[in-house]
């Protein structure tokens, strides 16, 4: 056979196989029997084996690559993969709608597109020159894991795009990878046989399958994908709204869930949600709600996003599921402020797709209100990511002669007597040296939002306490590198990293230190307020209750708690250790009250003509709030503000996936900074 003839036959086979994959996996309308399909594939593999130089990466034979992945490389998303804000109630969806309307022009009309919220894993696909070159998980939204080899095994995902339009060959597409409910059972049976832990739900199965090191194993898992987003490159092709985006995805042969609809108003959104709540089990995959998105891209862009999620979309979750099970035991957990919380240990039960064996009972008062007893049959409730809770006791199923539950009178960790203040619902262990409290307090002190000591998580804290290296968070600053390096599973390298992180934390500003102290009722907000009113911890500790309570936002209870904290002898000892170590306990000036540093470390680039400001004025506004302005767009740019007739900088920002702001969005950001 001549090589050229082979090449022609190979290409014909590939396009045949791709077409059948599409018919079978995307449209669910197979045209041929499996055996005929297998014959085509076998012929292709034979020819490619004879002429390996004709193998291309997009050949259907290359869906499964032989090389196992040892570590999934971490990759940066071109633009953040944001998560959607959630709601569970009709009131909240109406609030969302009101917010959208208030952010758009008065009486401006807009539409929503409603889709099913597939309970799977968000994935980004990147095509270059029409070839699938990268697939990555959402990760933390900024960076995800490169799982290209495993995603290539999903037959509904095109390896090559069939289009002649150059701009459509270089796109990013996003969607959800998921698992059919029915596919979970045989997989779990096999796992149990192999003495592996069964997957709790289809989403876990999808996640586990994507993280297999050997793509040949992944190929045996029936993973599926629905795509719902295509990068809007507005200038090049005419997609102006989400609906057109979905149609375009379909025309490019991506799998798109067809259960979407255009809604003219929020009432239609609610109707769609109600319908699907009723028939959520009529589809073979798990859905946990519906997603409503403002249809127009131009309006989406104007609505912008918060730090966490877009303002133009919302996940409208289905109502919670409830189930009965038996309560076997009640255990008590001690928190960092000494609050002791009851946790129900349950007969494991399936609830919303996962196995639940623990649930919160909130506090002792709730426990007594429920009159829950060991051996009772209780009603459990769970919604989405919410921690399962006990809502009700089924008295008809109560065992005769059962005894009312007696809450503990002493701390499970240190046996100190527990106290309950008259106006509090919680039981409290008042022993500041209680080992459980000590661990939780040190963890809090080191946590990201407090002193941000990287590497000092719960396991290390417990290790340090058990080895008697620390007794409180003041001791952290007395740790020596050799002490840490001598610990189990800690080497020289991690010891010196930890020491560096500890040293660095000494520079944290006063408001972080106040928060880190873990004073009851003093959260991040109260800590910030206190730092705005006192120059030092010393000044704060010697303040009066009247003085503290006169600060707007600080209540009487918080004021008392603050003073009580500093009067305590052991807290004074710990503070002395912080002082000796050189931790920030004072500041030269009070932080500016009227402008916050919301743009701290952020770089802005302005392009095009702004209406309200000259570029210099805009740059000055940015600097005033702690940011900087630059004249060129690079990887280090955080925001590009686009005025009218914007040029190449705008394009470059799009290419680099940099956050783009309209002038209106920029001004509202400025305003939010001034009002903080
Ligand atoms: Zn205790």
């Amino acid at each position: 056979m001549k090589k050229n003839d082979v090449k022609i036959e190979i290409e014909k086979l590939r396009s045949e196989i791709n077409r059948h994959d599409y018919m079978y996996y995307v449209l669910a309308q197979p045209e041929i029997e499996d055996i005929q399909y297998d014959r085509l594939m076998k012929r292709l593999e034979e020819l490619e084996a004879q002429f390996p130089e004709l193998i291309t990466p997009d050949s259907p034979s290359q869906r499964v690559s032989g090389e196992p992945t040892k570590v999934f490389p971490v990759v940066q998303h071109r633009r953040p993969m944001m998560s959607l804000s959630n709601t569970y109630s009709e009131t909240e969806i109406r609030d969302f709608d009101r917010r959208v309307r208030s952010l758009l022009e008065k009486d401006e009309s807009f539409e929503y597109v409603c889709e099913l919220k597939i309970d799977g894993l968000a994935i980004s696909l990147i095509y270059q020159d029409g070839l699938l070159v990268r697939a990555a998980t959402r990760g933390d939204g900024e960076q995800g894991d490169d799982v290209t080899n495993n995603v290539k095994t999903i037959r509904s995902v095109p390896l090559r795009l069939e289009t002649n339009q150059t701009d459509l060959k270089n796109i990013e597409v996003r969607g959800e990878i998921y698992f059919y409910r029915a596919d979970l059972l045989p997989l779990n049976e096999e796992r149990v046989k192999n003495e592996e832990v069964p997957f709790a739900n289809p989403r876990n199965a999808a996640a586990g399958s994507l993280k297999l090191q050997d793509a040949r194993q992944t190929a045996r898992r029936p993973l599926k994908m629905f795509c719902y987003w295509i990068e809007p490159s507005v200038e090049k092709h005419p997609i102006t709204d989400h609906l057109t985006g979905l149609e375009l995805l379909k025309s490019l042969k991506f799998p798109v869930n067809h259960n979407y609809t255009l809604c003219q108003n929020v009432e239609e959104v609610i109707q769609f949600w109600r319908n699907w709540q009723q028939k959520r089990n009529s589809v073979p995959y798990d859905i946990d709600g519906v997603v409503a998105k403002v249809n127009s891209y131009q309006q989406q862009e104007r609505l912008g996003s918060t730090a966490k999620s877009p303002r133009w979309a919302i996940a409208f979750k289905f109502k919670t599921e409830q189930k009965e099970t038996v309560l076997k035991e009640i255990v008590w957990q001690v928190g960092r402020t000494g609050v002791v919380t009851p946790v129900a240990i349950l007969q494991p039960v399936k609830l919303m797709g996962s196995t639940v064996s623990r649930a919160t009972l909130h506090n002792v008062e709730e426990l007594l209100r429920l009159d829950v007893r060991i051996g009772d049959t209780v009603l459990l409730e769970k919604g989405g990511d919410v921690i399962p809770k006990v809502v009700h006791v089924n008295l008809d199923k109560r065992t005769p002669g059962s005894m009312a539950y007696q809450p503990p009178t002493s701390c499970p960790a240190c046996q100190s007597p527990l106290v309950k203040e008259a106006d509090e619902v919680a039981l409290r262990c008042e022993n500041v040296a209680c080992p459980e409290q000590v661990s939780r307090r040190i963890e809090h002190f080191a946590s990201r939002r407090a002193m941000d000591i990287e590497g000092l998580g719960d396991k290390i804290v417990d290790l340090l306490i058990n080895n008697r290296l620390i007794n409180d968070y003041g001791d952290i600053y007395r740790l020596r590198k050799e002490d840490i390096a001598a610990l189990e599973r800690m080497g020289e390298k991690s010891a010196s990293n930890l020491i560096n992180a500890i040293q660095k934390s000494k520079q944290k500003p006063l408001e972080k230190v106040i928060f880190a102290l873990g004073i009851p009722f003093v959260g991040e907000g109260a800590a910030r307020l206190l730092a705005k009113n006192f120059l030092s911890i010393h000044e704060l500790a010697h303040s009066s209750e009247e003085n503290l309570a006169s600060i707007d936002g600080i209540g009487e209870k918080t004021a008392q708690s603050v003073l009580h904290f500093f009067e305590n002898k052991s807290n004074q000892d710990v503070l002395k250790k912080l002082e000796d170590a050189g931790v920030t306990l004072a500041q030269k000036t009070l932080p500016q009250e009227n402008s916050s540093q919301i743009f701290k470390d952020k770089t802005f680039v302005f392009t095009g003509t702004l209406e309200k400001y000259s570029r210099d004025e805009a740059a000055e506004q940015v600097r005033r709030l702690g940011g900087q302005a630059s004249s060129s767009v690079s990887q280090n740019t955080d925001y590009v503000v686009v005025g009218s007739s914007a040029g190449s900088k705008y394009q470059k920002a799009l290419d680099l996936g940099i956050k783009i702001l309209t002038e209106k969005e920029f001004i509202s950001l400025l305003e939010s900074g001034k009002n903080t």
Side-chain angles (χ1 to χ4, degrees), residues 191-477:
R191 287 178 74 80
V192 171
K193 228 184 285 165
N194 297 333
E195 297 188 348
E196 290 167 315
V197 184
F199 290 115
N201 54 47
R203 184 162 47 83
N204 286 354
S209 306
L210 267 187
K211 285 304 184 66
L212 287 169
Q213 296 185 333
D214 187 349
R216 282 172 303 189
Q217 298 289 326
T218 310
R220 295 177 48 222
R221 302 275 175 87
L223 287 172
K224 301 191 165 52
M225 183 164 187
F226 281 131
C227 295
Y228 49 66
W229 185 83
I230 179 164
E231 182 175 30
S233 176
V234 187
E235 287 170 39
K236 291 179 187 166
H237 47 84
I239 41 168
T240 53
D241 57 47
H242 184 62
L243 202 66
T244 323
L246 290 175
E247 300 294 333
L248 180 64
L249 281 169
K250 280 199 273 187
S251 74
L252 289 168
K253 297 193 172 174
F254 283 100
V256 173
N257 189 298
H258 63 271
N259 298 301
Y260 60 83
T261 188
L262 193 62
C263 295
Q264 298 303 327
N265 54 49
V266 69
E267 297 311 318
E268 291 182 22
V269 172
I270 292 171
Q271 199 49 51
F272 184 80
W273 172 78
R274 280 195 196 135
N275 281 342
W276 276 102
Q277 170 141 298
Q278 291 300 316
K279 54 180 193 183
R280 59 190 294 188
N281 290 321
S282 68
V283 284
Y285 40 85
D286 279 354
I287 49 176
D288 54 356
V290 305
V291 175
K293 296 171 182 163
V294 170
N295 189 26
S296 149
Y297 283 158
Q298 201 258 1
Q299 284 170 333
Q300 287 184 7
E301 198 170 305
R302 276 193 286 140
L303 289 162
S305 49
T306 67
K308 278 192 231 130
S309 35
R311 290 200 193 88
W312 42 265
I314 192 160
F316 193 1
K317 297 267 193 105
F318 294 139
K319 285 265 165 57
T320 54
E321 191 186 331
Q322 298 186 324
K323 241 185 208 160
E324 277 193 352
T325 188
V326 174
L327 181 138
K328 298 197 295 188
E329 200 189 333
I330 294 171
V331 296
W332 295 78
Q333 283 178 344
V334 189
R336 71 180 160 87
T337 58
V339 172
V340 180
T341 334
V343 176
I345 306 296
L346 309 161
Q347 188 75 51
V349 64
K350 281 261 183 193
L351 191 58
M352 301 195 61
S354 63
T355 307
V356 173
S357 56
R358 293 164 78 90
T360 179
L361 287 162
H362 297 288
N363 54 54
V364 66
E365 222 154 77
E366 174 69 1
L367 182 143
L368 295 174
R369 187 190 68 79
L370 288 167
D371 180 28
V372 61
R373 304 176 182 189
I374 310 289
D376 270 351
T377 299
V378 293
L379 190 66
L380 278 187
E381 184 180 280
K382 189 180 162 202
D385 312 326
V386 181
I387 305 162
K389 59 180 182 185
V390 173
V391 286
H392 179 72
V393 175
N394 186 340
L395 294 177
D396 296 339
K397 293 191 182 170
R398 175 168 279 175
T399 340
S402 77
M403 305 263 281
Y405 182 78
Q406 295 297 325
T409 51
S410 61
C411 170
C414 71
Q415 278 73 52
S416 307
L418 294 177
V419 289
K420 185 169 170 293
E421 302 287 337
D423 57 343
E424 263 190 53
V425 288
L427 278 177
R428 217 179 257 279
C429 163
E430 289 208 314
N431 171 18
V432 285
C434 171
E436 280 292 313
Q437 283 186 53
V438 170
S439 313
R440 299 291 92 75
R441 266 202 303 271
I442 299 175
E443 280 162 40
H444 168 75
F445 183 84
S447 66
R448 202 173 50 80
R449 301 169 86 154
M451 300 302 270
D452 192 19
I453 305 177
E454 210 188 319
L456 198 56
D458 51 353
K459 292 215 176 64
I460 301 292
V461 169
D462 285 342
L463 207 56
L464 291 168
I465 293 177
N466 293 339
N467 284 278
R468 297 177 189 280
L469 289 168
I470 54 174
N471 290 312
D472 55 53
Y473 48 70
D475 291 338
I476 292 173
Y477 295 95

Side-chain angles (χ1 to χ4, degrees), residues 495-607:
S496 74
N497 285 346
L498 184 52
I499 291 287
N500 286 341
I502 291 171
Q503 289 301 323
K504 217 174 85 189
S505 74
K506 292 179 183 175
Q507 311 301 327
K508 284 278 158 191
L510 191 63
E511 66 166 80
K512 295 284 181 188
V513 180
I514 296 174
F515 174 59
L517 295 178
I519 306 168
F521 306 113
V522 178
E524 277 178 298
R528 200 171 304 128
L529 282 175
L530 293 172
K532 277 183 182 171
N533 285 277
F534 296 95
L535 281 170
S536 67
I537 293 281
H538 183 82
E539 208 180 83
L540 172 63
H542 291 87
S543 177
S544 66
E545 194 183 317
E546 292 87 344
N547 190 6
L548 281 167
S550 72
I551 299 170
D552 197 14
I554 302 284
E556 201 181 309
K557 204 156 140 187
T558 310
Q560 284 166 0
S561 175
V562 168
L563 296 178
H564 187 71
F565 179 89
F566 289 110
E567 278 159 17
N568 182 295
K569 174 74 175 65
S570 40
N571 289 336
Q572 290 170 5
D573 293 344
V574 180
L575 280 167
K576 182 77 176 57
K577 293 180 194 174
L578 297 182
E579 190 182 348
D580 292 346
V583 174
T584 308
L585 297 183
Q587 53 193 359
K588 286 200 183 73
T589 52
L590 295 177
Q592 277 292 311
E593 245 195 285
N594 291 325
S595 91
S596 64
Q597 298 282 295
I598 52 160
F599 293 162
K600 193 172 183 302
D601 300 328
K602 299 281 184 235
T603 303
F604 283 72
V605 172
F606 296 92
T607 174

Side-chain angles (χ1 to χ4, degrees), residues 58-76:
D58 62 324
S59 170
S61 65
Q62 302 302 302
R63 284 198 177 266
V64 184
S65 79
E67 286 293 304
T69 314
K70 288 208 180 57
V71 187
F72 295 98
V74 172
V75 290
Q76 185 81 28

